Amino acid sequence: MNYKYFTFFALFFTSVITGSMAQLITPEDHFGLKPGSDRNLFLYEDLINYLQKLDKASAKMTMRKIGESPMGKPMYAAFFSNAENIEQLDELRMINKELALNHNLSEKRQAEMIKKGKVFFVATLSMHANEVGPSQAAPLIAHKILSTNDPDTLSWLNDVVYMMIPSHNPDGMNMIVNHYRKYKGTKYEGSSMPKVYHKYVGHDNNRDFVTLTQKDNQAISRIFSNTWFPQVMVEKHQMGSTGPRYFVPPNHDPIAENIDAEIWNWIGVFGMNMIKDMTRKNLAGVSQHYAFDNYWPGSTETCIWKNVIGFLTECASVKSATPVYVEPNELSVWGKGLSEYKKSINMPLPWEGGWWKLSDIMDYEISSTMSIIKTCSNHKEDILKFRNDIAKQEVNKGLTKAPYYFILPGEQHDESEWIDLINLLHRHGIYRYSLTKNIVLQGRNYNKGDVVIPLAQPFRPFIKEVMEKQKYPVRHYTPGGEIIKPYDITSWSLPMHKGVTSIEIDKRSEKLENSLRKIEGLYRPSKKYEDDFYAWFFPFTNNESYKAAFVLKKKGLKVNYFMESSNEKKGGFLIRKQNKNLKEIEQFINELKVKPEILKEKPDHNLHAFTVPEIALVETFLHDMDAGWTRYLFDTYAIPYSVLRPHELKEKDLSEYDAIIFPDNHESIYMKGKYSSDSYYRRNTYPPEYSKGMGKKGKQNLLKYLNDGGKIITWGRSGNLFTGKQVIKDKNDKEEFKLPINDRTKSLKNKGLYCPGSLVEIDIMDKYDYSAGMPDKIGVFYRGRPVYQTETPYFDMDRRVIASFTDENILLSGYSENLELIGGYPAMIWVKKGKGEMVMFTFKPQFRASTPVSYKLIFNSLLFQKK
Ligand SMILES: [Zn+2]
């Protein structure tokens, strides 16, 4: 009898004796209906409650808390395996960690660990909360695994620990379920949910795995970087209703250059087994090599840069839980890799159309999950050996191939972002060192305390990917043919996006390697002050200084600032040293990343009182992720604001606001509450009460607010609200005018301008207060639209260019075509109308909270005037 079967019988009898099998409550009994039945969805708490009941009843499962959602819901991982493995979970975890990180493991020790270890396979379910299927299938999968008597499955579970993250986005899950229930039985059943299905970022929660700003993503990322070190990962999604039924890897080209060939091969093995196993079960329409490419590290799949065999699956959607009927002629393909909806090597068994239900999604989810568990088991020893071998290989590459180190000098323009980067790398499981003495390397001086990131680390691919500048892997469909265009953005270089100087060293240095001390944990400077000084000083150059100003002001302290108009806008915020609130101030200062400077005496500049502006942020109902990211930015920097919906601009007295912000969005969504363009009619999937825009009346109110002395800030496409003819109507008066800006987007696009999301260089004029704390040149995140040009103004209007695109070497990181066309064009414009002013950014200054390099331009626009 082989060992696997022996364990099966032993466990079977143990279970019978302890009676645990009898107590397993079925999903039907717990939820009152079968998960996946038409038009029914359960809430996150019901799901967790069910899993907790199973946990109590079965020795083959356990749950661990892994963190909290942004809105404070506990997040869990549920572990499933045989009882013995669950019993020894922490021991197995240590084996995972050794295999993942110990590149000095001897052959003998490696062999022992492979024998003892288990493959950990983590599945994160429904991060996109409107893709309800995977989380709704969780109870079925859990119950099936725990109650099965199938000898094959039981034998797989001897080798595999299945880690289920029941919901990657618990806040969004409940929002979606509540929205569905609200409209169930009405004509808007299955409609899109207004607002973002997340505290801040909605669908963009899958674009945050490099910057790790959101708590749910931090919880998931810790699994790969710091705690469990699983070898296999799947993130489970859904796609449109009328294409293939299911997507499994491999993905389409292009693929990331920094990932080892063997990772791609393993991903292919899992995908090929899934399509084989699912087709065997008559699940039609499984596709591969389709639509989704694999060069970009922003999603949960960022773990492949940390040597995890990671991939996604995508199932065709229903309308939340409402079945859809698909006519065969409606079946179509939309992405690269399949050019017709026909039998092909990338989809050998097309689905023929008809009813598609939530229960179908359940079948595909169960089947794909079981297939992955099976593949993990069939290749257990190979996978575990691979995990340690690749750690060794990556370390070896770091010792033998350039680049060898990235150095982050302590001397930085924005010290707070430097510290933030050092700590972010720690959260990513990267080892960081500081120099123990001053050294000279390739003709450049480095100082004691400068931070060194050696590439000889198991997670080398990740370090390389996020520290170097990006070069898009250009591939063509056919030799000499069309370029395969990027699916998403093309730049994520952390030093560049944060404005941190990082130097790549292409030669190994013994001198350097002998002068390194490992940085343990989070990097924090010590803070001790002598007693006698005038004030604490927070220079504008640090992003964190703005947070300090807002927080201390809120604590009731008097905050001042001064500008230093030399070549560089220095200046900053200052707080007089005082005995009042001293403890409170010191406590706050101790929690800051950067120690404030000390002013011995009163500075020789005009001191201005810092006042907190009244800010309105306009957020549309249509899954407005850019507005959500802006809320996240403001909350992070303690900047108070109110959210206005576009239709509220009609009636609201806007004069109470010092500034009104329009994040990037199509102007039709602001105006009409739905997308519209001249070229086609896009149907609206939201209930009508959420399809409301500001209309002409709101626009009038807004222009009057501007004319009377208000401030409007726009970025990205929202500036288009203010191009072309503008009208202000009063009782007797009607003023028709045009602001001194022209939209050149179309004409440059026609000339071939293409920029899918890259870091582009701008020059910043240093004579305006808007440039406080900014260097002369930075890279900003730009998506090729809009392009504006200023024009000579008339009457009570004016304009100044605050920043413009550079003329030469404009592309800093990422991909673009004909980008030189925008050289010299304005990137940030100040516009005056009447007594009011506007600040218009053509780039995205807070893009997905991944561009701290340009945050100060937003803060300055809110706080200062053009002078
Ligand atoms: Zn998705």
Side-chain angles (χ1 to χ4, degrees):
M1 184 186 286
N2 88 20
Y3 170 77
K4 285 177 182 175
Y5 283 88
F6 172 75
T7 316
F8 156 58
F9 283 116
L11 284 172
F12 180 76
F13 290 118
T14 321
S15 308
V16 170
I17 292 159
T18 58
S20 64
M21 266 180 166
Q23 293 161 10
L24 277 185
I25 180 168
T26 62
E28 289 89 330
D29 283 342
H30 174 80
F31 295 100
L33 46 90
K34 192 170 183 200
S37 57
D38 287 348
R39 308 176 63 222
N40 280 296
L41 297 171
F42 49 77
L43 291 163
Y44 179 68
E45 286 74 14
D46 291 342
L47 170 57
I48 296 304
N49 191 249
Y50 178 63
L51 293 173
Q52 282 165 337
K53 283 183 190 169
L54 294 183
D55 183 6
K56 259 197 193 142
S58 172
K60 299 197 285 183
M61 141 182 212
T62 189
M63 284 173 82
R64 300 267 176 102
K65 194 177 163 196
I66 56 163
E68 274 189 3
S69 73
M71 288 169 151
K73 289 193 196 301
M75 291 176 68
Y76 299 93
F79 296 78
F80 300 84
S81 191
N82 72 23
E84 196 186 341
N85 294 341
I86 293 297
E87 181 75 36
Q88 307 176 22
L89 206 54
D90 287 299
E91 206 177 310
L92 295 173
R93 181 170 80 87
M94 292 319 288
I95 294 177
N96 282 352
K97 190 172 176 183
E98 279 288 291
L99 291 173
L101 301 181
N102 190 348
H103 54 94
N104 292 315
L105 214 53
S106 70
E107 227 170 274
K108 183 169 165 262
R109 190 85 185 104
Q110 192 199 52
E112 285 167 14
M113 294 210 153
I114 292 167
K115 201 167 159 212
K116 235 178 150 187
K118 309 292 163 191
V119 175
F120 277 59
F121 151 46
V122 59
T124 68
L125 310 184
S126 296
M127 74 181 319
H128 294 146
N130 62 335
E131 300 163 9
V132 297
S135 285
Q136 298 290 320
L140 299 173
I141 294 170
H143 187 264
K144 182 183 166 83
I145 290 177
L146 296 180
S147 63
T148 187
N149 290 320
D150 169 44
D152 284 338
T153 311
L154 288 168
S155 125
W156 301 337
L157 291 170
N158 294 333
D159 297 327
V160 180
V161 177
Y162 167 52
M163 280 178 77
M164 173 201 278
I165 311 297
S167 167
H168 184 134
N169 176 3
D171 304 325
M173 176 169 175
N174 280 5
M175 292 177 194
I176 286 285
V177 174
N178 288 326
H179 172 79
Y180 183 74
R181 287 176 177 176
K182 182 177 166 192
Y183 288 94
K184 188 174 159 180
T186 74
K187 73 195 250 193
Y188 300 110
E189 175 174 319
S191 57
S192 301
M193 190 199 94
K195 307 182 205 167
V196 285
Y197 38 71
H198 186 266
K199 183 174 183 185
Y200 294 115
V201 305
H203 208 80
D204 268 354
N205 61 354
N206 200 28
R207 310 281 189 268
D208 183 47
F209 269 82
V210 171
T211 34
L212 288 182
T213 62
Q214 304 300 311
K215 279 189 178 167
D216 40 359
N217 292 341
Q218 291 165 7
I220 305 282
S221 180
R222 276 196 292 272
I223 293 172
F224 306 108
S225 311
N226 314 106
T227 54
W228 289 96
F229 303 96
Q231 295 83 20
V232 179
M233 185 285 301
V234 65
E235 52 174 307
K236 293 211 151 271
H237 293 259
Q238 286 174 213
M239 54 187 173
S241 305
T242 56
R245 295 300 92 187
Y246 213 72
F247 171 81
V248 299
N251 292 28
H252 196 279
D253 272 325
I255 58 173
E257 302 270 2
N258 286 321
I259 301 296
D260 193 89
E262 289 193 79
I263 291 269
W264 298 124
N265 298 339
W266 271 116
I267 292 172
V269 168
F270 277 90
M272 201 40 97
N273 283 340
M274 266 189 276
I275 196 169
K276 167 180 72 72
D277 294 341
M278 295 172 79
T279 308
R280 193 86 212 270
K281 289 203 159 11
N282 274 326
L283 301 176
V286 184
S287 64
Q288 300 179 288
H289 288 286
Y290 170 59
F292 308 97
D293 52 34
N294 226 341
Y295 70 92
W296 160 80
S299 74
T300 319
E301 282 172 272
T302 302
C303 66
I304 70 178
W305 278 260
K306 296 173 184 171
N307 305 333
V308 178
I309 303 164
F311 44 89
L312 57 68
T313 64
E314 302 260 356
C315 193
S317 295
V318 295
K319 285 183 181 160
S320 292
T322 304
V324 294
Y325 185 82
V326 182
E327 285 288 354
N329 82 92
E330 292 160 7
L331 288 164
S332 61
V333 286
W334 54 269
K336 48 206 172 200
L338 280 172
S339 41
E340 281 87 21
Y341 189 93
K342 296 237 163 98
K343 180 171 179 141
S344 78
I345 194 63
N346 293 346
M347 183 171 60
L349 179 66
W351 181 70
E352 288 173 353
W355 280 106
W356 183 248
K357 300 178 164 198
L358 190 57
S359 58
D360 294 314
I361 301 178
M362 304 292 107
D363 292 343
Y364 281 67
E365 284 307 320
I366 295 167
S367 178
S368 77
T369 304
M370 298 317 287
S371 171
I372 299 171
I373 293 174
K374 176 181 165 188
T375 304
C376 290
S377 167
N378 284 346
H379 298 275
K380 179 207 147 190
E381 304 211 337
D382 252 6
I383 290 172
L384 295 183
K385 182 166 185 347
F386 168 71
R387 183 59 195 250
N388 190 240
D389 287 348
I390 187 131
K392 291 178 174 178
Q393 284 167 37
E394 291 297 342
V395 170
N396 193 45
K397 278 186 217 167
L399 294 172
T400 53
K401 268 188 182 175
Y404 296 99
Y405 335 93
F406 289 97
I407 302 184
L408 305 169
E411 187 82 22
Q412 294 280 346
H413 182 85
D414 183 339
E415 197 187 346
S416 61
E417 290 305 328
W418 175 67
I419 293 175
D420 203 61
L421 175 54
I422 298 167
N423 290 336
L424 176 58
L425 291 172
H426 173 62
R427 288 205 294 280
H428 277 297
I430 305 302
Y431 306 131
R432 306 133 314 144
Y433 299 81
S434 66
L435 276 181
T436 53
K437 53 174 182 264
N438 298 353
I439 60 168
V440 180
L441 207 62
Q442 297 174 347
R444 190 176 167 138
N445 293 320
Y446 294 94
N447 298 320
K448 187 179 165 184
D450 287 357
V451 172
V452 180
I453 318 290
L455 272 287
Q457 302 194 31
F459 293 171
R460 175 181 177 272
F462 182 80
I463 301 172
K464 196 160 174 293
E465 188 71 45
V466 302
M467 294 298 288
E468 63 190 5
K469 76 173 211 174
Q470 274 69 54
K471 199 168 163 251
Y472 179 66
V474 172
R475 300 290 182 275
H476 300 78
Y477 287 99
T478 52
E482 199 188 326
I483 284 179
I484 307 175
K485 290 275 164 78
Y487 180 81
D488 205 282
I489 62 167
T490 59
S491 176
W492 41 85
S493 163
L494 285 173
M496 285 182 158
H497 283 229
K498 285 177 172 291
V500 170
T501 305
S502 160
I503 297 145
E504 193 176 309
I505 305 292
D506 289 339
K507 230 177 138 183
R508 267 190 81 176
S509 159
E510 215 175 299
K511 194 167 50 178
L512 177 137
E513 286 176 18
N514 290 330
S515 320
L516 295 179
R517 190 179 52 228
K518 197 167 177 187
I519 300 171
E520 301 291 348
L522 291 177
Y523 185 89
R524 280 193 189 283
S526 63
K527 294 184 177 91
K528 285 238 159 25
Y529 296 105
E530 50 203 298
D531 280 346
D532 188 24
F533 60 91
Y534 175 77
W536 282 286
F537 177 63
F538 300 85
F540 288 139
T541 47
N542 289 337
N543 279 345
E544 196 187 35
S545 296
Y546 291 80
K547 179 179 175 179
F550 279 103
V551 170
L552 292 169
K553 183 78 188 173
K554 201 180 170 196
K555 286 181 188 290
L557 294 163
K558 202 172 161 201
V559 180
N560 282 298
Y561 71 91
F562 66 85
M563 291 282 176
E564 204 176 305
S565 312
S566 57
N567 284 342
E568 197 182 343
K569 282 273 176 197
K570 283 196 178 131
F573 303 100
L574 61 88
I575 314 279
R576 269 303 292 278
K577 183 174 179 263
Q578 52 190 322
N579 288 327
K580 202 183 124 204
N581 307 85
L582 188 61
K583 264 220 163 111
E584 206 180 347
I585 305 174
E586 281 180 340
Q587 194 195 336
F588 172 72
I589 285 176
N590 276 325
E591 285 162 13
L592 288 173
K593 285 175 241 169
V594 183
K595 184 174 166 174
E597 291 169 24
I598 293 298
L599 296 182
K600 285 275 183 200
E601 47 204 56
K602 192 169 186 290
D604 195 16
H605 300 279
N606 283 337
L607 290 187
H608 308 277
F610 168 76
T611 51
V612 177
E614 285 292 328
I615 299 168
L617 172 70
V618 185
E619 179 168 355
T620 73
F621 284 120
L622 271 63
H623 201 75
D624 199 337
M625 294 180 284
D626 200 53
W629 282 113
T630 312
R631 280 191 283 113
Y632 169 75
L633 176 76
F634 287 177
D635 286 351
T636 305
Y637 282 86
I639 302 173
Y641 60 92
S642 341
V643 170
L644 280 185
R645 304 292 169 187
H647 70 276
E648 291 176 303
L649 291 165
K650 288 181 194 171
E651 311 295 345
K652 190 104 190 158
D653 176 10
L654 301 178
S655 65
E656 65 185 87
Y657 299 111
D658 296 307
I660 301 178
I661 300 176
F662 289 85
D664 175 54
N665 215 332
H666 197 269
E667 72 259 34
S668 62
I669 296 173
Y670 283 124
M671 289 302 292
K672 299 177 187 169
K674 57 190 170 194
Y675 183 86
S676 74
S677 87
D678 299 340
S679 46
Y680 70 104
Y681 178 76
R682 190 192 284 182
R683 64 186 180 171
N684 180 30
T685 55
Y686 290 80
E689 59 266 42
Y690 300 108
S691 311
K692 291 187 287 197
M694 68 171 104
K696 277 187 183 160
K697 199 175 166 200
K699 181 75 185 295
Q700 276 292 307
N701 204 11
L702 194 60
L703 289 174
K704 262 188 224 159
Y705 160 81
L706 173 67
N707 202 41
D708 294 345
K711 181 190 276 187
I712 295 173
I713 300 172
T714 68
W715 52 77
R717 295 164 298 167
S718 62
N720 293 351
L721 277 169
F722 303 96
T723 53
K725 184 174 102 176
Q726 311 290 319
V727 182
I728 300 179
K729 260 194 238 165
D730 244 330
K731 276 172 204 120
N732 319 313
D733 259 352
K734 180 181 167 188
E735 183 188 357
E736 207 176 288
F737 63 97
K738 177 176 169 293
L739 294 171
I741 36 168
N742 287 317
D743 187 357
R744 292 276 178 251
T745 316
K746 247 188 205 157
S747 77
L748 270 71
K749 196 181 167 206
N750 290 341
K751 286 183 185 162
L753 174 67
Y754 173 70
C755 184
S758 307
L759 217 63
V760 174
E761 193 173 65
I762 61 167
D763 291 315
I764 302 169
M765 316 302 148
D766 60 16
K767 58 186 166 188
Y768 307 113
D769 287 357
Y770 291 130
S771 67
M774 295 301 296
D776 294 346
K777 284 176 189 287
I778 59 165
V780 293
F781 197 89
Y782 185 58
R783 304 199 89 168
R785 63 186 183 196
V787 185
Y788 294 146
Q789 208 172 15
T790 58
E791 67 178 11
T792 342
Y794 61 105
F795 303 149
D796 59 349
M797 286 168 274
D798 203 353
R799 81 285 170 242
R800 287 292 181 276
V801 174
I802 309 292
S804 49
F805 293 108
T806 51
D807 266 323
E808 276 175 27
N809 302 324
I810 174 167
L811 180 68
L812 296 181
S813 173
Y815 181 70
S816 67
E817 290 168 12
N818 305 302
L819 195 62
E820 66 282 357
L821 285 169
I822 58 164
Y825 275 81
M828 179 181 173
I829 312 169
W830 170 87
V831 175
K832 174 179 171 278
K833 166 74 185 89
K835 292 181 198 143
E837 62 180 356
M838 290 185 65
V839 179
M840 303 172 85
F841 298 87
T842 63
F843 57 93
K844 308 238 274 182
Q846 55 28 310
F847 182 71
R848 293 178 185 161
S850 72
T851 56
V853 64
S854 45
Y855 288 173
K856 283 188 274 275
L857 293 172
I858 301 179
F859 303 155
N860 292 343
S861 304
L862 289 167
L863 296 179
F864 308 132
Q865 264 74 42
K866 186 195 80 72
K867 274 190 205 124

